[in-house]
Amino acid sequence: ILKDKTRIVATHQIHWLQPSDQVIILKDQQVDRQGTYKELLDAGVDFGPLAAEHKKQENEVKQGKNDLKETVKDVKVQTKADNDKKDGTLTTKEGRKTGIVALKIWETYGAALGIKVFAFLCLLFVIAQGFQVASTVWLSIWSTTKSEDANYYL
């Protein structure tokens, strides 16, 4: 879909510059330099701060992956130890709570969905409950009405 289409990417991330056909460097809201990535490197444009930031982000990602691997290893060791303690059972008995839903839970739902969507869903819920009550009331009235007409119930 985007083949042969112009796309403009505004970024401070150096890894987007190399595959780009054209790089425009802005300074004080003015075009400072323009050209391909290679042309700008040959012209002596200092990508040092961007490159340093890019390298720092790569290192953070690598560190995050290493931390994740260590966490997975810890979980595997802990899970194995827990399974050994449970006498071969892999599941635990689940608990069940009854009662009213705490206001904090509703606030969390509202924050996750956004206030407009959450309010709309609450309105739909109230409308659905209203229709359910109305149908129950109508069924009650209809079933208690005595009629001599044989077609009344059809």
Side-chain angles (χ1 to χ4, degrees), residues 106-107 109-122:
W106 290 107
E107 289 173 354
Y109 282 140
L113 293 173
I115 192 67
K116 290 180 181 178
V117 173
F118 183 69
F120 179 70
L121 291 176
C122 286

Side-chain angles (χ1 to χ4, degrees), residues 42-150:
D42 293 342
V45 174
D46 183 23
F47 289 107
L50 288 176
E53 183 65 26
H54 179 64
K55 188 68 172 170
K56 179 183 170 190
Q57 289 175 355
E58 283 181 343
N59 290 337
E60 288 174 359
V61 168
K62 287 178 185 176
Q63 181 62 36
K65 287 180 182 177
N66 290 338
D67 291 345
L68 181 61
K69 287 178 184 177
E70 290 297 320
T71 303
V72 169
K73 286 179 187 175
D74 292 343
V75 168
K76 285 181 180 177
V77 169
Q78 182 180 1
T79 303
K80 185 174 187 233
D82 289 347
N83 287 342
D84 292 343
K85 291 179 190 175
K86 294 180 185 176
D87 301 324
T89 60
L90 297 176
T91 60
T92 59
K93 185 166 177 102
E94 294 181 4
R96 180 176 165 178
K97 291 185 179 181
T98 58
I100 193 166
V101 177
L103 180 61
K104 185 70 177 164
I105 300 298
W106 290 107
E107 289 173 354
T108 304
Y109 282 140
L113 293 173
I115 192 67
K116 290 180 181 178
V117 173
F118 183 69
F120 179 70
L121 291 176
C122 286
L123 177 65
L124 286 179
F125 177 74
V126 169
I127 290 170
Q129 290 299 316
F131 277 119
Q132 185 178 12
V133 169
S135 84
T136 303
V137 168
W138 170 248
L139 185 60
S140 173
I141 293 169
W142 179 78
S143 65
T144 57
T145 304
K146 305 243 189 261
S147 176
E148 299 298 325
D149 185 11

Side-chain angles (χ1 to χ4, degrees), residues 8-76:
I8 298 174
V9 179
T11 183
H12 288 100
Q13 299 177 0
I14 198 166
H15 67 273
W16 289 105
L17 299 179
Q18 292 172 340
S20 299
D21 295 329
Q22 191 76 350
V23 177
I24 300 172
I25 299 176
L26 299 177
K27 187 173 186 180
D28 298 323
Q29 300 178 356
Q30 300 292 324
V31 175
D32 185 42
R33 301 269 177 109
Q34 181 175 342
T36 65
Y37 179 72
K38 184 165 178 28
E39 289 172 353
L40 292 173
L41 280 178
D42 293 342
V45 174
D46 183 23
F47 289 107
L50 288 176
E53 183 65 26
H54 179 64
K55 188 68 172 170
K56 179 183 170 190
Q57 289 175 355
E58 283 181 343
N59 290 337
E60 288 174 359
V61 168
K62 287 178 185 176
Q63 181 62 36
K65 287 180 182 177
N66 290 338
D67 291 345
L68 181 61
K69 287 178 184 177
E70 290 297 320
T71 303
V72 169
K73 286 179 187 175
D74 292 343
V75 168
K76 285 181 180 177

